[in-house]
Amino acid sequence: MTTTPEPDASAHPGSEPDPDPAPADAPTPRVRRFWAVRRIPAAVLAAVVLGGTGLLLYDVAAVRADRPAMAWRRKLADGLATRPLDDVVIVAGAAVAVVLGLWLLILAATPGLRGILPMRREHTDVRAGLDRKAASLTLRDRVMEVSGVQSVRVRVGRAKVAVRAVSHFRALDEVRADVETVLATGVDELGLAHPPARTVRVARPPRKEGKAK
């Protein structure tokens, strides 16, 4: 579980106690998804922009000082001036630039951290999140306690929890009803801000083929 406390004064003797949970009639704070920091893409982009800009400014300053331009810039200028727009190199370079631009826009407009589910806010100055794998393991352990369940697979997504259980005895309808009840209780106890929908499938184990005589 991930918690993100807001800045607060350090705890010292005589300091004010932690704030109590919000009253029942108080408006529930809006819970948003956690945003990824994305340090690696930001660092790579900053390094590329800084290096390209520095190299270009150095070459421009050298030309202003009556020195010849670098070979790569002369070659690039000649290529852009002589190559047609439908040239393979021009089209490939434009496609790469478009893909990189779209990727950066998607990173800037989406929160990321899909593996962390936001939890209900009991305190207005504390945010908490639950890892999806931890939620899957917790719900799996709860479903395994149902009588008749031999094995179970639980997949927790952002909007849905999918459970596939195998029952080796008891009626499938009874097992499914018990699994749905346990699953509903388990999801509620996770304390998620947006409780996901639930789908349950219960089946018999596959029959083993008899040995050939």
Side-chain angles (χ1 to χ4, degrees), residues 51-74:
T53 304
L55 188 62
L56 182 61
L57 289 177
Y58 173 81
D59 192 47
V60 171
V63 172
R64 293 290 184 178
D66 297 331
R67 293 183 180 180
M70 293 184 179
W72 67 268
R73 196 158 72 94
R74 294 197 305 268

Side-chain angles (χ1 to χ4, degrees), residues 120-213:
R120 291 192 294 265
R121 299 188 67 172
E122 302 294 340
H123 299 275
T124 57
D125 56 348
V126 177
R127 296 183 63 197
L130 181 64
D131 185 78
R132 283 166 55 180
K133 293 182 179 179
S136 300
L137 292 176
T138 301
L139 295 178
R140 177 184 178 277
D141 293 341
R142 295 295 300 271
V143 175
M144 284 297 298
E145 296 176 357
V146 176
S147 177
V149 174
Q150 182 181 21
S151 62
V152 62
R153 294 178 59 185
V154 178
R155 182 179 180 275
V156 177
R158 287 179 49 206
K160 184 174 68 174
V161 176
V163 176
R164 293 185 178 183
V166 175
S167 175
H168 58 299
F169 70 93
R170 293 182 66 195
L172 293 182
D173 293 339
E174 296 179 0
V175 176
R176 184 181 296 105
D178 291 346
V179 170
E180 290 177 350
T181 301
V182 169
L183 184 62
T185 303
V187 170
D188 183 68
E189 290 177 351
L190 291 179
L192 301 178
H194 308 289
R198 302 176 297 272
T199 58
V200 177
R201 295 182 181 180
V202 182
R204 295 296 186 192
R207 295 182 179 181
K208 297 182 179 179
E209 297 180 359
K211 297 182 179 179
K213 295 182 180 180

Side-chain angles (χ1 to χ4, degrees), residues 73-85:
R73 196 158 72 94
R74 294 197 305 268
K75 185 176 180 179
L76 179 61
D78 294 340
L80 293 176
T82 57
R83 288 179 182 271
L85 295 179

Side-chain angles (χ1 to χ4, degrees), residues 91-111:
V91 173
V96 171
V98 170
V99 171
L100 290 177
L102 290 176
W103 178 60
L104 293 175
L105 289 176
I106 291 174
L107 290 181
T110 55

